[in-house]
Structure formats: C-alpha cells, structure tokens
Amino acid sequence: MKKALIVWGGWDGHQPKEVAGLFKIILEKENFEVEVSDTLEAFADADKLKALDLIVPCWTMGRIEQQWVTNVSEAVQAGVGLAGVHGGMCDAFRENTDWQFMTGGQWVAHPGNDGTEYVVNIKHSSSPLVEGLDDLTVSTEQYYLHVDPAVEVLATTRFPLAPGPHSLNKAVDMPVIWTKRWGVGRVYYNALGHQANIIALPEVTEMMRRGFLWSAEGKSIAAKSGYVSGSAYTGMQDNQL
C-alpha cells in the first residue's frame, strides 16, 4: 500500500478538517494507507516523510518552523508527491518563500469574494490528468495567484470578472490547476476548494483523485529510472535566516 499523510489546520474558514476528511476518503478508496494529523509537528520527522508516497497539506496561513519546510522540501525532492488545493496549499505560510517556490504559486487576492460565478477552462493537452474532463462553472472564490512560470497549466479562469484594482489591465487567463516538478517529486495544485462543498463536487473530486495518484507515482518512477537521491537543494538561504 502507498502511504499518504494529510496535515490540516490553520484558518477555520476553509474547513480544513472537513476537507481533510474528504481527501482521506478519496485516498482510501485508492488503497492508500492514510495518516491524518492536525499539527504541523507531523513535518518534524524527516525520515518518516521520506518514507511516504504523498503529502497533502490542508493548512491556510499561519507560521511554520523553517526546518519543517526543509523536511517537506527534501522529501519531495527525493520523489514524495505533494498535492493540495486552494489556500490549504498555496496560501499556507505567507512568510515562507521556500514553500511558495516548492508549491508553484501564492494566493494574492480573490476579487468578488466567495460566491463569484466563473468558468474553469480545461486546457486539453498530453496530460492524462485532464483527459475527458469538461469545462466547469462554479460559484466560489476565484483565486488570483502569483504563479511560477515553470508550472504546466492544466486549467485556467478568465480575469477580470469582478471589479478590483487589476481591472484596467488586459484580460488574463489565470491558472487554476497546475503541476510542477520539485527535484524528482511531483507537485499538483488545484485552486478550487474554498470549502468542503466544492471538493465534494463530482468533477472536483475526480480532479483530486487523479492529482493524488499522479503525484504519488513520483517516487516509484524515479526508482525505476535508477535515480539516486543526492543532497537536497540549498540555494534558498535568504529565507532561512
């Protein structure tokens, strides 16, 4: 059985406990052995993290020990998958740029707030993660993010839709779903998931199921390729002072 760790907490408005519970159900249906923790101390044991196949953060805002971010980063660089949604992954620790570099982006705004109706446009490509999926109309927060240009974008939404200081700029396609690599680890992010009812939508549940499975394959694929994990990347010391 593959092993997954879900860590939930932070701002209660994102219903992290409920979202974590839905993620646990998805993963157990795919025969994962799932541990669920409500403390960031779950990231303190570096060796334990490296023995996992998947890490799922559900923690909005707050602060985290730098060593714990380093532990997660090193595990992902060695092949452990990282997958999450909304503010639980890309608005987790606003002061920690290492986390933002690893996850591929950072929330900065949601013009119109909750209840904004918008379309999620699937970018059909060679990625099996979006094969057969249709565009989706949702009523929830529409995330405006600062995004790593290295990510592979799998779905977008159009801005501006609601008024804001960005409105007089040209219209842009904002990434909603993306993947990236961190070392040999696979990272999957979905900006949907403001609360549990959005995760429970069949389309979003399926997106997350695929994202979890894809991310969790990173370690085994790296092993089959003969990759041997070396020293973790250490070029981010400015954030580690």
Side-chain angles (χ1 to χ4, degrees), residues 119-163:
V119 178
V120 176
N121 299 114
I122 303 298
K123 290 178 66 67
H124 293 286
S125 65
S126 60
S127 175
L129 288 170
V130 293
E131 184 177 350
L133 297 182
D134 296 321
D135 293 349
L136 173 66
T137 299
V138 292
S139 181
T140 185
E141 289 182 342
Q142 187 184 32
Y143 259 20
Y144 203 102
L145 299 128
H146 286 174
V147 181
D148 184 341
V151 304
E152 180 179 0
V153 178
L154 303 183
T156 63
T157 187
R158 196 69 169 163
F159 274 93
L161 184 60

Side-chain angles (χ1 to χ4, degrees), residues 6-20 36-41 43 56-64 68 85-94 99 143 194-195:
I6 302 172
V7 180
W8 67 268
W11 185 58
D12 287 338
H14 279 161
Q15 298 180 337
K17 182 178 182 179
E18 292 82 358
V19 170
V36 180
S37 175
D38 63 356
T39 173
L40 292 174
E41 291 182 8
F43 296 146
V56 182
C58 299
W59 199 289
T60 303
M61 296 184 280
R63 294 182 175 181
I64 187 172
W68 298 350
V85 299
H86 204 63
M89 182 159 135
C90 282
D91 189 24
F93 312 112
R94 294 178 180 178
W99 185 269
Y143 259 20
H194 175 61
Q195 291 187 330

Side-chain angles (χ1 to χ4, degrees), residues 70-135:
T70 299
N71 292 346
V72 174
S73 175
E74 291 181 356
V76 178
Q77 288 179 59
V80 179
L82 183 71
V85 299
H86 204 63
M89 182 159 135
C90 282
D91 189 24
F93 312 112
R94 294 178 180 178
E95 296 177 352
N96 197 289
T97 54
D98 290 0
W99 185 269
Q100 295 163 23
F101 193 10
M102 175 174 61
T103 58
Q106 171 60 37
W107 168 87
V108 292
H110 43 66
N113 298 312
D114 194 16
T116 299
E117 185 173 288
Y118 62 95
V119 178
V120 176
N121 299 114
I122 303 298
K123 290 178 66 67
H124 293 286
S125 65
S126 60
S127 175
L129 288 170
V130 293
E131 184 177 350
L133 297 182
D134 296 321
D135 293 349

Side-chain angles (χ1 to χ4, degrees), residues 66 236-241:
Q66 178 58 46
M236 303 177 290
Q237 291 95 335
D238 283 352
N239 189 53
Q240 298 170 5
L241 298 177

